Each structure stands twice: as C-alpha cells, then as structure tokens.
Amino acid sequence: MKENEKRTEILIERARVEQRVAELAVEIVEGYEGKDFVAVAVLKGAYIFMADLHRALWDAGVDCEVDFVELSSYEGGTESSKNPRITRDLDRDVAGKEVLVVEDIVDTGWSLDFLERYLIQKGVTRVKKVALLSKPSRREIEVKVDYVGFEVEGWVEGCGLDTDQKGRGNPNVVVVKVIDE
Ligand code: IMP
Ligand code: MG
C-alpha cells in the first residue's frame, strides 16, 4: 500500500493507551498472586506494547523476565495464512515456568492458539495472554485472551502495529482507510 493511497484516523489516543496499559499491569499482577512469570512478546508487532507493559508491571511491583518469539503468519499481506511458524525462537528454557504472552492484536486467533500450544509443548506450566487490541468479530479459532486493552474493528496501525512494516511508531492507535481511486 503506498502512502498516498492510505488515510488514517485516530481511534485511540496515546494518553488513553498509556492509561489502559497501567490498568492492565495492575490486573495482571493481581492474577499472578506473587508468582514469578516470564513475559514473552510476539515480534515484531508487540515490541512497543511490551516495553510499555514491562515498565507498567515494574510500577505495579513486579520485576518479570522477558523473552521474544517471532511468528510469520501474514507474510506481508493483511490476511492470516492460518499456518503460523516460529521464525525466531525463545532464548530461554521455559519448562516449568509460567508465561505471559504479550501480543499486539488478536485477529483470527490462529497465531495465539499456535503459540499457546507451542509453549505448553515446551513444558510451560501455565500460559496467560495479554493483547493490547482484539478484534473479536474476526475470530476463527476460539482462544481465551485473559487481558485485552481495547476491542477494535478494521485494519489498525500504531503502537507497534504496521501496514507493510510502516506506521509502527505512531503513539496513537489509528484505523487505516484505503482510498480506492
Ligand atoms: P491472527 O493470527 O489472525 O490472530 O493474527 C494476529 C497477528 O496479525 C497480530 O499479531 C498482528 O501482527 C497481525 N494483525 C492482525 N490484525 C492487524 C491489524 O489490524 N493491523 C496490523 N497487524 C494486524
Ligand atoms: Mg503480532
């Protein structure tokens, strides 16, 4: 998509995102009842949410470990291939640990469902999931998302989310309108 074919509109302002991330951190900390966990972010989309959430978790009293995985599911387009693969694996052995998966957005649910199975197969004792955004109307796979920042519709960018690798740095969540002519 070229820049001049694209128009964006603010859906969620930066200040509202920051406030919601702080609320999520408090909810998450309450849910772990003092137990240790590893936060695992899904690259690339979740890197900004992960950084914000990690600091908010710290503010809420938790010093958790972090790790990263990268999945390929979209391969450049905007439709899920329904066949995610790990393209960058965890650095750490997570067997016997609790994991909090940190996602930018849950769309069809294929990626999160795949990652949860993968982590359980690696010996993770409990997998919880947080997503900054969710599109429940698009779900193809029933996957429980324990903590959701906001429910959205349409194609969105910002806060780490991209369109063809662009738009990630926008501190607001914006919805993308494609102009046809
Ligand atoms: P799912 O497997 O369909 O749930 O896809 C989830 C992944 O697709 C997310 O982690 C995002 O990387 C990407 N994705 C889904 N919807 C959007 C969107 O509206 N904007 C940007 N990326 C998206
Ligand atoms: Mg993602």
Side-chain angles (χ1 to χ4, degrees):
M1 199 185 297
K2 293 193 200 81
E3 277 315 304
N4 59 3
E5 294 167 329
K6 188 174 90 172
R7 191 162 58 82
T8 61
E9 237 167 57
I10 292 184
L11 200 59
I12 311 162
E13 299 264 1
R14 168 184 208 158
R16 182 74 190 105
V17 173
E18 284 166 9
Q19 183 194 355
R20 187 72 189 116
V21 172
E23 289 167 7
L24 287 171
V26 170
E27 273 182 61
I28 289 165
V29 168
E30 283 167 1
Y32 278 98
E33 295 156 343
K35 279 186 251 132
D36 236 9
F37 63 93
V38 183
V40 172
V42 185
L43 294 172
K44 304 189 177 78
Y47 75 110
I48 287 178
F49 177 43
M50 175 67 140
D52 290 345
L53 185 68
H54 200 195
R55 286 177 291 195
L57 287 166
W58 178 278
D59 287 340
V62 165
D63 182 10
C64 66
E65 296 172 38
V66 294
D67 205 343
F68 300 88
V69 290
E70 187 158 22
L71 299 183
S72 75
S73 52
Y74 275 61
E75 276 151 10
T78 57
E79 286 300 319
S80 168
S81 72
K82 306 185 184 185
N83 187 21
R85 285 181 301 118
I86 306 258
T87 54
R88 182 214 184 270
D89 206 347
L90 297 163
D91 280 337
R92 318 221 25 243
D93 180 11
V94 285
K97 301 203 172 191
E98 299 215 5
V99 163
L100 175 71
V101 173
V102 180
E103 253 291 25
D104 54 354
I105 188 166
V106 185
D107 184 27
T108 62
W110 285 97
S111 308
L112 198 54
D113 180 68
F114 166 80
L115 185 57
E116 178 168 25
R117 286 166 200 277
Y118 179 78
L119 291 168
I120 286 167
Q121 184 208 312
K122 288 250 177 188
V124 169
T125 52
R126 185 171 66 159
V127 181
K128 284 198 172 194
K129 291 146 272 174
V130 58
L132 178 63
L133 306 172
S134 174
K135 292 185 203 169
S137 65
R138 295 254 313 162
R139 212 69 95 238
E140 293 175 11
I141 295 270
E142 266 320 307
V143 58
K144 183 180 172 206
V145 191
D146 302 272
Y147 311 97
V148 173
F150 304 93
E151 291 189 351
V152 296
E153 289 197 359
W155 188 260
V156 293
E157 283 180 14
C159 296
L161 291 103
D162 71 307
T163 306
D164 278 345
Q165 305 303 325
K166 292 290 194 179
R168 295 190 195 274
N170 193 332
N172 308 291
V173 174
V174 299
V175 66
V176 179
K177 318 251 170 183
V178 180
I179 298 154
D180 288 329
E181 80 257 5

